[in-house]
C-alpha cells in the first residue's frame, strides 16, 4: 500500500529535486526536496522527462561557492545545466526504446508460444498407424548387422528396433534420429506425417521408442553408422524425455569434464554418453579378457569374503564396521585368502571389490575399486614377472582382436598399442639413481634428492613412467616400505622380491610379490609390524602344513582401464565412483 501511495505521490509531483552529491538513484529517493535523486537522467526516467515537470539541481558538497566564498551557495536549488538536460533526455529516449523493444519481444514470445501450443494441439489429431500391407517387421537390435540393406530398387529388410534418441536433427523435409540401444548407433529417417505427430514434435534426447521401417544403405557420399539408415514407416513412443530446461542436454554437457562434481551427481545421465558408455564397454571386455586369460592358463576362480578381520595393506586405510558386535573390516585385498586356495586348487584368481579408506583425493585413488588378484604356486620371482607380462599382453591381445572393442579404444585412445614384451625391468635402487640423474633431478616429497628407503611418491613415479614411456616392472623395494608378507631377496636382505607394474599416463597399476614362506620369518614380520598373529592363524598355518614358494599380485582394474582408455582419472573408469566425500548416487 505504501508503495502504491508513493507512486501516486510521485505522479502528482511537478518539481523534482536532484542532488548530485547526496541524492540517490534507488528506492530511498522520491525526487522530493527531502529525498532528492542523484542524477537528472534517473529523475527523467522515473517521471517521464520534462513535460509538465520542473527539475531543480544542486551539488551540495562540491558545487561552486558564492563570489564571497559562502558555501551556503551550494545548497541553493538551480535549473539543471543544459548539457545535463540533454544527457538526461538521451537517457530517457534510450530507456523508452528499450522498454518498447522488450514489450515487442514479449508479445512475439507470447504469439510464438500460442502458436506452438496450437501446433501441438493440432498435432494430437495426427494419428499414425502401421500399414498392414507391409512385410512383418523382424525384431532386431542395432548390433544385428545381418540385415538386408535396400539399395536402388532392391528392398531391404523391414525391421523393428527399440532404443532411445541419442541425437535429433529436424530438417524441413525430414527428421533424422540417431538411436542407441546399447549395441550401436542407428540413423533413422522420418518424413511426412511421421514428423508431424505430437510425439514427433516432442522428441528429445532420451525419448524411448520402437521404430519400424526398411533398412537401406546410405546414399553414396553420405555418412551414417554402419553405412545404413532406417527409413521409418511407423513408430511407437514408449517413454517421453523432457525437452525443456530439464532436458538431458541441459543437465550434462560434453564440454564439462566427467570427473567434476556436478557431472558425477548426474552420472546416471553421463553414462548415456558415447565416451562414458565406451569406457564401460571396454571395461566389460577387459574383465572378460582376464577371465579368458586365466582360464587359458588353468587358474581357478574363487570368491573370497569382503567382511574380514585381518588387514593386508596397513591399518591406515581400513574401513571398520560393527559386525554383530565384533570389530570387522571391509577387505583391502583378497590376497591372503587366495593363498589358502593354492594347495587344492592350484593357481587361483579373483576379481572382487577391495576397499581403501584413502584420505587423499588423487586421480588414481578410489575408496572402492575392482581388484584383479592372482596367486601362483611353486614359482620363483622371475616366473612371477614373466607371468605378469603374459597376462597383461594376453588381455591386450584379446580386447584388440574384438573389432567393436578395438573401435571404442581407437576413439578413446588412438595411440593405444599392446605393449611389446619383454617389459622394461628396473630395480628400485636403479630407479632412485635414475630420478637423481635427471636434469633437474626429480625430487622426493620433501623436496630433496631421493635416497634408498624413500617411498617413490605418486608424482615422481608418474614422471618417471611418462619420460620412459614404456611399461616398467619396478622391482626389489626396501623391506620397510612394503607389506609384512613380502619375501626378502636372498642376496640382499634389505629388499623384497616385490614388483610394481608402472604404465605411462597412470603409474602403478599392479602391486605384487613373492610371499614369505617360512613360518618363523612370518611370525617375526607380524612382530615388526605390530600385528597380532592370533587373527592370522589360518594364513600362518599355510607355512605349517606344507609350505611352498609362491607369489601373486593385485591389479587395479580402474587404473588398467584408465591406461587403455586414456582417462585422466580412475573416477570415470567405474560405474559410480566412490572416493572420499562421495558415496552417491
Ligand atoms: O599395491 P596394493 O596395495 O597391493 C595389494 O593390495 C596386494 N595385497 C595385492 C596382491 O598382491 N594380491 O594394490 C594393488 C593394486 C595397485 O597397484 C593399484 O592398481 C590398485 O590395486 N589400488 C587401487 N586402485 C584404486 N584405488 C585405490 N585406492 C587403490 N589402492 C590400490
Amino acid at each position: 500500500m505504501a508503495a502504491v501511495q508513493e507512486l501516486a505521490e510521485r505522479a502528482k509531483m511537478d518539481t523534482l529535486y536532484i542532488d548530485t552529491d547526496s541524492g540517490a538513484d534507488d528506492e530511498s529517493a522520491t525526487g522530493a526536496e527531502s529525498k532528492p535523486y542523484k542524477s537528472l537522467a534517473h529523475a527523467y526516467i522515473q517521471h517521464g522527462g520534462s513535460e509538465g515537470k520542473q527539475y531543480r539541481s544542486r551539488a551540495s558538497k562540491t558545487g561552486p561557492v558564492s563570489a564571497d566564498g559562502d558555501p551556503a551557495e551550494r545548497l541553493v536549488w538551480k535549473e539543471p545545466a543544459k548539457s545535463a538536460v540533454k544527457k538526461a533526455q538521451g537517457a530517457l529516449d534510450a530507456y523508452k526504446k528499450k522498454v518498447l523493444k522488450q514489450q515487442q519481444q514479449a508479445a512475439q514470445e507470447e504469439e510464438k508460444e500460442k502458436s506452438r501450443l496450437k501446433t501441438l494441439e493440432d498435432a494430437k489429431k495426427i494419428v499414425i498407424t502401421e500399414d498392414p500391407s507391409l512385410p512383418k517387421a523382424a525384431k532386431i537390435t542395432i548390433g544385428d548387422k545381418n540385415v538386408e540393406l535396400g539399395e536402388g530398387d532392391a528392398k531391404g529388410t523391414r525391421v523393428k528396433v527399440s532404443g532411445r534418441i541419442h541425437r535429433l536433427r529436424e530438417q524441413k523435409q525430414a527428421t533424422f534420429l540417431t538411436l542407441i540401444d546399447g549395441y550401436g548407433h542407428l540413423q533413422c529417417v522420418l518424413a511426412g506425417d511421421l514428423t508431424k505427430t505430437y510425439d514427433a514434435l516432442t522428441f528429445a534426447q532420451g525419448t524411448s521408442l520402437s521404430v519400424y521401417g526398411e533398412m537401406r544403405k546410405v546414399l553414396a557420399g553420405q555418412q551414417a553408422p554402419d553405412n545404413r539408415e532406417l527409413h521409418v514407416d511407423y513408430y511407437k513412443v514408449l517413454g517421453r524425455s523432457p525437452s525443456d530446461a530439464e532436458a538431458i542436454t541441459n543437465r550434462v554437457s560434453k564440454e564439462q569434464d566427467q570427473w567434476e562434481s556436478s557431472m558425477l551427481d548426474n552420472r546416471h545421465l553421463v553414462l548415456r554418453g558415447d565416451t562414458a558408455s565406451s569406457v564401460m564397454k571396454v571395461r566389460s571386455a577387459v574383465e572378460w579378457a582376464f577371465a579368458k586369460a586365466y582360464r587359458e592358463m588353468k587358474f581357478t576362480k574363487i570368491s573370497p569374503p569382503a567382511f574380514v578381520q585381518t588387514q593386508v595393506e596397513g591399518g591406515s586405510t581400513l574401513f571398520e564396521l560393527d559386525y554383530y558386535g565384533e570389530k570387522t573390516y571391509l577387505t583391502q585385498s583378497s590376497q591372503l585368502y587366495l593363498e589358502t586356495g593354492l594347495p587344492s586348487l592350484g593357481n587361483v584368481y579373483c576379481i572382487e571389490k577391495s576397499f581403501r579408506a584413502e584420505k587423499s583425493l588423487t586421480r588414481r585413488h578410489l575408496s572402492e575399486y575392482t581388484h584383479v588378484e592372482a596367486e601362483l604356486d611353486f614359482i620363483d620371482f622371475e616366473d612371477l614377472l614373466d607371468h605378469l607380462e603374459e597376462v597383461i599382453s594376453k588381455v591386450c591381445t584379446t580386447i584388440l582382436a574384438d573389432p567393436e572393442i578395438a573401435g571404442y579404444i581407437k576413439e578413446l585412445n588412438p595411440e593405444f598399442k599392446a605393449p611389446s614384451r619383454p617389459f622394461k625391468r628396473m630395480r628400485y635402487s636403479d630407479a632412485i639413481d635414475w630420478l637423481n640423474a635427471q636434469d633437474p633431478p626429480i625430487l622426493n616429497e620433501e623436496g630433496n634428492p631421493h635416497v634408498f628407503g624413500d617411498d617413490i611418491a605418486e608424482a615422481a613415479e608418474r614422471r618417471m613412467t611418462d619420460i620412459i614411456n614404456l611399461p616398467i616392472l619396478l622391482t626389489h623395494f626396501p623391506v620397510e616400505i612394503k607389506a609384512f608378507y613380502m619375501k626378502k631377496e636372498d642376496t640382499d636382505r634389505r629388499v623384497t622380491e616385490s614388483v610394481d607394474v608402472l604404465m605411462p599416463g597412470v603409474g602403478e597399476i599392479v602391486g605384487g610379490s613373492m610371499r614369505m614362506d617360512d613360518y618363523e620369518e612370518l611370525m617375526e614380520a607380524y612382530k615388526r609390524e605390530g600385528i597380532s598373529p592370533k587373527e592370522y592363524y589360518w594364513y600362518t598355518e599355510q607355512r605349517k602344513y606344507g609350505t611352498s614358494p609362491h607369489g601373486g599380485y593385485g591389479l587395479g582394474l580402474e587404473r588398467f582401464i584408465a591406461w587403455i582408455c586414456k582417462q585422466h582419472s580412475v573416477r570415470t573408469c567405474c560405474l559410480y565412483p566412490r572416493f572420499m566425500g562421495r558415496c552417491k548416487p
Side-chain angles (χ1 to χ4, degrees):
M1 193 61 203
V4 174
Q5 250 169 12
E6 198 155 296
L7 275 179
E9 288 299 314
R10 205 176 276 188
K12 272 193 267 161
M13 289 164 71
D14 48 16
T15 304
L16 288 313
Y17 294 87
I18 293 100
D19 185 333
T20 54
D21 287 333
S22 317
D25 282 352
D26 57 26
E27 297 82 58
S28 64
T30 61
E33 193 172 354
S34 57
K35 288 182 177 177
Y37 294 120
K38 190 169 177 66
S39 73
L40 186 62
H42 185 76
Y44 261 48
I45 289 169
Q46 295 301 308
H47 297 272
S50 58
E51 211 177 294
K53 308 274 173 199
Q54 283 192 39
Y55 293 87
R56 290 284 173 268
S57 175
R58 72 183 183 193
S60 57
K61 291 189 183 134
T62 57
V65 294
S66 67
D68 59 3
D70 184 358
E73 177 75 13
R74 289 173 169 162
L75 299 178
V76 179
W77 297 104
K78 294 182 185 146
E79 188 122 335
K82 278 213 172 73
S83 59
V85 170
K86 203 169 158 199
K87 205 169 137 199
Q89 187 58 46
L92 178 63
D93 292 345
Y95 174 76
K96 280 183 177 164
K97 236 180 173 165
K98 193 172 122 194
V99 170
L100 189 68
K101 204 167 159 200
Q102 277 172 348
Q103 282 168 345
Q104 282 168 345
Q105 265 173 357
Q108 271 172 9
E109 289 294 322
E110 202 177 317
E111 252 333 285
K112 236 165 103 186
E113 182 60 10
K114 260 197 215 151
S115 132
R116 193 183 71 86
L117 292 175
K118 168 136 182 22
T119 313
L120 281 179
E121 219 32 60
D122 291 348
K124 285 184 184 161
K125 291 178 207 135
I126 302 176
V127 178
I128 53 168
T129 50
E130 189 175 5
D131 180 350
S133 69
L134 291 171
K136 189 174 162 26
K139 187 176 170 184
I140 63 160
T141 70
I142 299 174
D144 288 327
K145 304 285 158 36
N146 293 331
V147 177
E148 275 312 313
L149 301 184
E151 196 179 0
D153 290 337
K155 283 268 168 213
T157 311
R158 185 164 182 268
V159 296
K160 170 188 177 185
V161 184
S162 299
R164 290 179 178 79
I165 296 177
H166 194 51
R167 278 188 285 274
L168 175 65
R169 194 156 43 89
E170 284 160 324
Q171 292 185 344
K172 255 216 173 99
Q173 305 300 336
T175 294
F176 291 87
L177 304 179
T178 305
L179 220 62
I180 53 165
D181 67 349
Y183 301 99
H185 293 65
L186 176 66
Q187 176 157 303
C188 306
V189 194
L190 287 72
D193 270 0
L194 296 179
T195 65
K196 295 181 188 135
T197 63
Y198 181 79
D199 280 336
L201 298 184
T202 53
F203 277 159
Q205 190 179 94
T207 298
S208 59
L209 70 171
S210 298
V211 287
Y212 299 70
E214 186 198 347
M215 199 72 101
R216 294 192 63 86
K217 194 167 175 181
V218 284
L219 296 178
Q222 292 184 359
Q223 279 195 333
D226 304 311
N227 277 325
R228 60 184 189 172
E229 59 189 8
L230 189 73
H231 288 232
V232 179
D233 56 53
Y234 176 63
Y235 59 80
K236 255 192 256 173
V237 165
L238 307 172
R240 275 199 199 98
S241 183
S243 54
D244 50 14
E246 282 281 285
I248 293 181
T249 39
N250 289 328
R251 299 272 304 271
V252 294
S253 108
K254 247 185 153 173
E255 278 63 52
Q256 244 172 309
D257 290 323
Q258 289 191 16
W259 62 89
E260 278 181 13
S261 186
S262 73
M263 292 289 267
L264 291 177
D265 288 341
N266 284 316
R267 181 88 179 140
H268 57 300
L269 299 178
V270 169
L271 284 169
R272 296 180 176 217
D274 288 334
T275 304
S277 56
S278 301
V279 173
M280 290 303 113
K281 288 276 186 183
V282 174
R283 181 183 161 120
S284 163
V286 166
E287 268 194 55
W288 179 78
F290 270 109
K292 177 172 177 279
Y294 287 126
R295 193 173 174 83
E296 283 166 7
M297 295 187 285
K298 297 197 160 39
F299 280 52
T300 300
K301 182 175 195 276
I302 57 174
S303 193
F307 289 130
V308 297
Q309 294 187 323
T310 46
Q311 52 135 305
V312 191
E313 299 299 326
S316 67
T317 59
L318 283 172
F319 276 112
E320 195 179 308
L321 54 100
D322 178 79
Y323 187 81
Y324 307 106
E326 281 185 52
K327 193 197 256 191
T328 294
Y329 314 111
L330 290 178
T331 187
Q332 294 173 306
S333 155
S334 298
Q335 176 201 324
L336 309 191
Y337 293 93
L338 283 174
E339 288 184 49
T340 66
L342 294 175
S344 61
L345 302 172
N347 295 343
V348 284
Y349 81 98
C350 69
I351 302 180
E352 298 285 346
K353 290 293 179 77
S354 280
F355 303 88
R356 306 274 169 112
E358 300 282 358
K359 291 178 194 74
S360 59
L361 294 166
T362 79
R363 59 179 159 122
R364 64 181 200 187
H365 284 95
L366 294 163
S367 307
E368 173 185 332
Y369 71 97
T370 301
H371 211 167
V372 179
E373 294 182 275
E375 210 57 34
L376 294 80
D377 209 2
F378 305 114
I379 56 161
D380 63 22
F381 190 46
E382 280 299 307
D383 296 331
L384 179 64
L385 300 184
D386 291 344
H387 164 85
L388 270 169
E389 280 183 12
E390 185 170 4
V391 77
I392 290 172
S393 301
K394 267 178 180 292
V395 168
C396 292
T397 305
T398 302
I399 56 171
L400 290 174
D402 178 333
E404 182 194 341
I405 303 303
Y408 296 133
I409 296 173
K410 191 142 188 69
E411 282 288 315
L412 295 162
N413 186 6
E415 283 99 54
F416 183 76
K417 278 202 306 272
S420 46
R421 294 179 69 179
F423 295 179
K424 184 177 176 62
R425 296 184 184 190
M426 194 177 193
R427 285 179 76 100
Y428 161 92
S429 53
D430 294 332
I432 296 291
D433 293 343
W434 187 96
L435 292 166
N436 291 334
Q438 298 313 294
D439 187 16
I442 298 174
L443 303 175
N444 69 13
E445 279 193 310
E446 282 79 49
N448 300 319
H450 281 89
V451 291
F452 185 92
D454 279 351
D455 210 347
I456 302 174
E458 185 172 330
E461 177 196 280
R462 222 176 24 229
R463 276 198 62 200
M464 180 173 89
T465 325
D466 289 350
I467 293 172
I468 295 175
N469 201 22
L470 289 170
I472 305 168
L473 296 174
L474 190 60
T475 63
H476 300 96
F477 290 86
V479 173
E480 291 72 27
I481 61 169
K482 283 292 177 186
F484 72 92
Y485 53 74
M486 291 192 181
K487 189 180 166 91
K488 291 181 187 150
E489 193 187 38
D490 282 341
T491 49
D492 182 354
R493 305 290 289 167
R494 294 176 312 154
V495 299
T496 50
E497 286 188 329
S498 52
V499 55
D500 281 0
V501 181
L502 312 180
M503 289 301 185
V506 184
E508 180 201 331
I509 62 157
V510 172
S513 75
M514 294 300 289
R515 319 306 191 189
M516 255 174 210
D517 49 39
D518 182 73
Y519 187 94
E520 292 307 331
E521 202 184 351
L522 184 59
M523 293 305 280
E524 267 306 305
Y526 291 137
K527 209 188 229 168
R528 190 187 72 220
E529 296 293 321
I531 296 172
S532 149
K534 197 163 142 249
E535 286 75 30
Y536 292 78
Y537 71 94
W538 52 277
Y539 180 67
T540 321
E541 284 188 2
Q542 300 302 311
R543 283 86 188 149
K544 182 169 160 186
Y545 294 94
T547 195
S548 63
H550 67 286
Y553 57 90
L555 174 146
L557 187 70
E558 290 79 6
R559 292 191 188 180
F560 192 66
I561 302 295
W563 168 61
I564 293 171
C565 298
K566 204 171 186 172
Q567 295 295 289
H568 171 78
S569 163
V570 288
R571 295 176 188 180
T572 57
C573 299
C574 43
L575 201 65
Y576 288 95
R578 297 292 181 249
F579 52 90
M580 191 170 69
R582 178 166 292 274
C583 198
K584 64 170 187 206

